[in-house]
Amino acid sequence: EIVDYDREGKRAREPEHDVYFPLRYLVPMNDARGLDLGGDGSPASKACASGHAVASERKQLLEDTPGTGAVFAIEPVWARGGTGCDQVSGFVALIFRIAPVMRDVIARAELGELTLVVRDVSANGTVIAQTAPVEEDAIVAREQLDFVDRRWEVAVSSPPARLPWWLFAMGVALSLFGGAIAYGGAAWMRMRRKLAHALRLGQYRIEQEIGRGGMGVVFRARHEMLRRATALKLLAAPPGDAAALARFEREVRLTAELTHPNTIAIFDYGHTPDGEFYYAMEYIDGLTLHDVLAVDGPQPIARAAHLIAQVARALVEAHAVGLVHRDIKPNNIMITTRGGIADFVKVLDFGLVQRIGVDVDEIEGTLTGTPGYTAPEALRGGEVDQRADIYSVGVCFYALLTGRAPFDADGEASIIHAQLRGTATPLGELRAVPKGLAALVMNCIEVVPMARIESAQALLDALDKLAIEPWTAEQARAWWTTRAPEVRRARHTEPGTTPPPTVTIDSKRLRTS
C-alpha cells in the first residue's frame, strides 16, 4: 500500500491505482515512501513525453514534518538511445529536501532572525518550504532562477544590514540549489553511466526484459557488430549459488550440442563483470502455446497434431544424444513465422535438461519442475529417461485439443497428487476426436513410464498412422493474419493467463506420501 499525508496533514492510505511506479534509483539515497510518481500526467510521464528532465510539484516526505516540502527531478533513460515513453528503460530521480538546507544556511551564517521562503513560480507561487510562517509584506528581497524545467523564487525577510539584499537573496538561492545541482548532476551522470554499463554485456546491448523462468531472466538484446536481434538469458540466482551456476552452465553446454531447426539455437555465452553467467540465443518474435491457449482456446485437430509433431522432431535429436528436456510445457513451446513458413515451432528453455541416467538434481531430495507437466517419476525424484518428455508432450497435446490441462485442480499440491494418481479426465469426454488420437494422447500421460509410448520417434510414427488431415500452409498463414494480432495484444493483459511456474519440489516427501 502507499501511505501519504492527506490535505489535513494526517497520514492516510492512498487510493489504489491501476499502475504503480517503482523508483529504482533515489539520489541522494533515502527511505522516502508514499510518493506516487507514475501514471498519466505524472512527472515520469511528462519526462518521457518531453524527452528531458522534469521537476515535480511540492511533495511531502513521510520522514519530514507536515509543511516541509521536497521536490523531485526525474530524468528518463531510454533503451537504444531513443526517445518516447515506449522506449523508457528506467528513470533517475533526484530528491531535493529544501527545508533542511535552508535551516543549515541560517545556522552556519548565524542568522537566526532570518526567514527564508522557497516558492514554485511555475505552480502559481506555491510555497515549497519555509523556515517560519511569514507575512507577504515582511518579504524584503526576492530572487528567481530556473532549475530543471521550472522557475523558482527564493524570498528573504529581515536580511542582515551588512549585505545588499539582492546579493544575499542570490547567495541563498545558490546555496539552496547550487550545491544540489552540483551534487545531483554528478550523481545523475554516475547513475546514467552505471545504467548504460548494465545495459551492455560484451558485444550485446540489452533492450528490454521479455521473460522469466525457473532459472533465469531473458532479455531482448542486439549484437553491436552484427546488428542482429538476440535473446540473452542471465542466471536468476543469489550471488555465490554454485549449484545454480553449475546447472546454468550445464544448460548452455548441453543445448549447444543440439542443431535441429525446431530447437532454440545458442550463439554465445560468458560472464558479466559481476560474475553472473549468461548466454546468447536466437531471438524469436513469436507466441508461446500458452499465449495461444489463453486467448484462442482449443485448437483444430490438424493444427494441434502439426505443432506437436514439430516438438517431437526436436526431441528426437535431443533424446538421441542422451538428453531429456524435463520442462516441456506450453510456455516453453513458441510458434513463429520462419523463412516464410508459418506455425514454425521452436522448443525453448533447456534449463532443466539432463543426461539420461544422471540423478535428477544435485540437491538430494529436491527437484525442479512444473506441476501438471512434469512426469510423475520425476515428481517422485526417480531416474528419468525420454519417456518423461513424452509425458509432458502428451499433456501439451491434451491442452491443445481441450483448452485445459488434464489435471485441473486448485493449487500445486493438488495438481501433483492428481498426476501421481493418474486421475485425468479422458480426452474423449471433453472433445469429439478420433478414438485413435484420444488413445494416443492418453497413452502419453500414463502414470507408469513403461506403459507410455517409448520415444519421440514412436510418437511421430503413431501420428503418421492416424492419417490426420494435414494443417496446410494456407491455413497457418490465415491464422497469423486473423488471430495472431489479438493474441499479441492480450498476451500480457488477459486475467488468469499466468503461465504455470517452474518450482522446487520436495521429492523425498512425495515418495513417503
Side-chain angles (χ1 to χ4, degrees):
E1 65 182 33
I2 295 179
V3 178
D4 207 344
Y5 285 107
D6 61 19
R7 294 183 178 180
E8 298 177 358
K10 298 178 181 179
R11 285 191 178 191
R13 179 175 177 175
E14 279 282 295
E16 292 187 1
H17 301 268
D18 292 334
V19 177
Y20 289 94
F21 183 88
L23 280 175
R24 293 287 183 89
Y25 308 113
L26 300 178
V27 182
M29 297 298 290
N30 76 71
D31 296 323
R33 296 291 185 272
L35 290 163
D36 182 18
L37 300 179
D40 293 340
S42 68
S45 64
K46 292 177 181 177
C48 67
S50 64
H52 55 71
V54 168
S56 71
E57 296 181 356
R58 182 184 185 278
K59 296 290 183 180
Q60 173 71 56
L61 302 184
L62 286 181
E63 63 263 38
D64 287 336
T65 57
T68 303
V71 174
F72 280 70
I74 301 173
E75 181 188 28
V77 179
W78 288 279
R80 292 179 289 178
T83 58
C85 293
D86 60 337
Q87 296 294 317
V88 170
S89 62
F91 291 87
V92 178
L94 304 181
I95 302 176
F96 299 98
R97 301 177 67 194
I98 299 173
V101 178
M102 292 196 299
R103 288 193 292 268
D104 183 61
V105 169
I106 292 173
R108 283 189 288 112
E110 297 181 353
L111 300 171
E113 75 282 8
L114 188 69
T115 298
L116 294 178
V117 182
V118 175
R119 290 189 174 93
D120 184 351
V121 178
S122 302
N124 300 318
T126 300
V127 174
I128 299 299
Q130 57 187 11
T131 56
V134 60
E135 298 294 333
E136 189 65 26
D137 56 9
I139 300 296
V140 295
R142 307 172 190 273
E143 189 64 34
Q144 294 188 0
L145 75 161
D146 294 318
F147 176 59
V148 191
D149 66 331
R150 306 174 78 84
R151 191 161 183 80
W152 312 86
E153 179 187 85
V154 179
V156 221
S157 72
S158 306
R162 64 180 182 271
L163 285 176
W165 292 355
W166 67 268
L167 181 60
F168 185 79
M170 177 60 76
V172 170
L174 291 176
S175 295
L176 292 178
F177 290 101
I181 293 173
Y183 172 80
W188 203 317
M189 293 304 297
R190 287 197 301 272
M191 294 305 299
R192 292 190 68 179
R193 286 196 297 269
K194 183 176 180 180
L195 185 56
H197 177 72
L199 292 175
R200 183 189 297 272
L201 287 176
Q203 292 295 316
Y204 302 97
R205 175 169 290 278
I206 295 176
E207 296 179 343
Q208 72 177 76
E209 181 179 323
I210 56 176
R212 288 179 178 265
M215 292 186 65
V217 55
V218 182
F219 298 90
R220 186 182 67 199
R222 184 165 295 276
H223 194 283
E224 291 288 293
M225 301 293 290
L226 300 177
R227 305 294 181 187
R228 177 175 62 186
T230 306
L232 277 180
K233 184 171 184 179
L234 281 79
L235 174 63
D241 189 337
L245 181 60
R247 287 194 299 269
F248 207 65
E249 291 190 276
R250 179 187 65 194
E251 172 184 358
V252 66
R253 290 197 310 270
L254 296 181
T255 309
E257 297 178 16
L258 305 176
T259 59
H260 194 277
N262 292 122
T263 300
I264 191 76
I266 303 297
F267 296 146
D268 190 14
Y269 69 93
H271 292 82
T272 70
D274 297 328
E276 293 180 296
F277 188 79
Y278 73 91
Y279 69 84
M281 53 189 164
E282 60 179 320
Y283 173 73
I284 303 168
D285 183 17
L287 298 166
T288 67
L289 293 191
H290 172 79
D291 299 329
V292 174
L293 289 170
V295 179
D296 223 28
Q299 298 299 297
I301 293 174
R303 189 185 196 207
H306 174 70
L307 299 178
I308 289 298
Q310 293 181 73
V311 175
R313 292 187 190 106
L315 291 177
V316 166
E317 181 198 29
H319 295 166
V321 295
L323 300 181
V324 185
H325 187 287
R326 288 207 298 151
D327 202 22
I328 296 291
K329 57 185 177 182
N331 209 50
N332 284 340
I333 300 171
M334 181 167 279
I335 57 174
T336 186
T337 298
R338 179 60 58 92
I341 302 174
D343 272 359
F344 192 91
V345 166
K346 283 286 185 176
V347 177
L348 313 177
D349 200 352
F350 279 70
L352 304 183
V353 69
Q354 72 168 75
R355 292 283 186 187
I356 294 175
V358 176
D359 289 342
V360 171
D361 219 307
E362 291 86 351
I363 304 174
E364 184 180 359
T366 67
L367 63 97
T368 307
T370 303
Y373 293 89
T374 299
E377 62 271 26
L379 292 174
R380 294 190 177 97
E383 186 176 306
V384 300
D385 60 18
Q386 70 277 0
R387 285 168 293 198
D389 282 345
I390 297 299
Y391 180 93
S392 302
V393 171
V395 176
C396 293
F397 208 166
Y398 187 107
L400 283 170
L401 292 170
T402 66
R404 46 156 281 189
F407 305 99
D408 193 15
D410 294 329
E412 295 169 0
S414 297
I415 293 173
I416 290 173
H417 284 291
Q419 288 183 259
L420 297 178
R421 293 192 302 269
T423 55
T425 303
L427 192 154
E429 294 183 12
L430 300 177
R431 180 176 181 179
V433 299
K435 290 183 179 180
L437 176 60
L440 176 62
V441 174
M442 296 305 293
N443 176 262
C444 289
I445 60 174
E446 285 281 354
V447 175
V448 180
M450 295 297 292
R452 291 177 214 142
I453 197 164
E454 63 179 0
S455 68
Q457 185 58 58
L459 175 59
L460 286 170
D461 295 341
L463 280 173
D464 286 341
K465 290 179 181 178
L466 290 174
I468 296 171
E469 183 179 350
W471 180 250
T472 67
E474 183 179 355
Q475 288 174 303
R477 287 192 296 270
W479 187 92
W480 282 88
T481 301
T482 60
R483 299 296 301 143
E486 181 180 347
V487 176
R488 286 187 186 277
R489 286 192 298 269
R491 178 162 42 186
H492 301 298
T493 59
E494 285 291 311
T497 62
T498 303
T502 301
V503 299
T504 299
I505 301 164
D506 187 344
S507 56
K508 185 179 296 183
R509 191 177 69 177
L510 281 175
R511 284 196 296 270
T512 59
S513 64

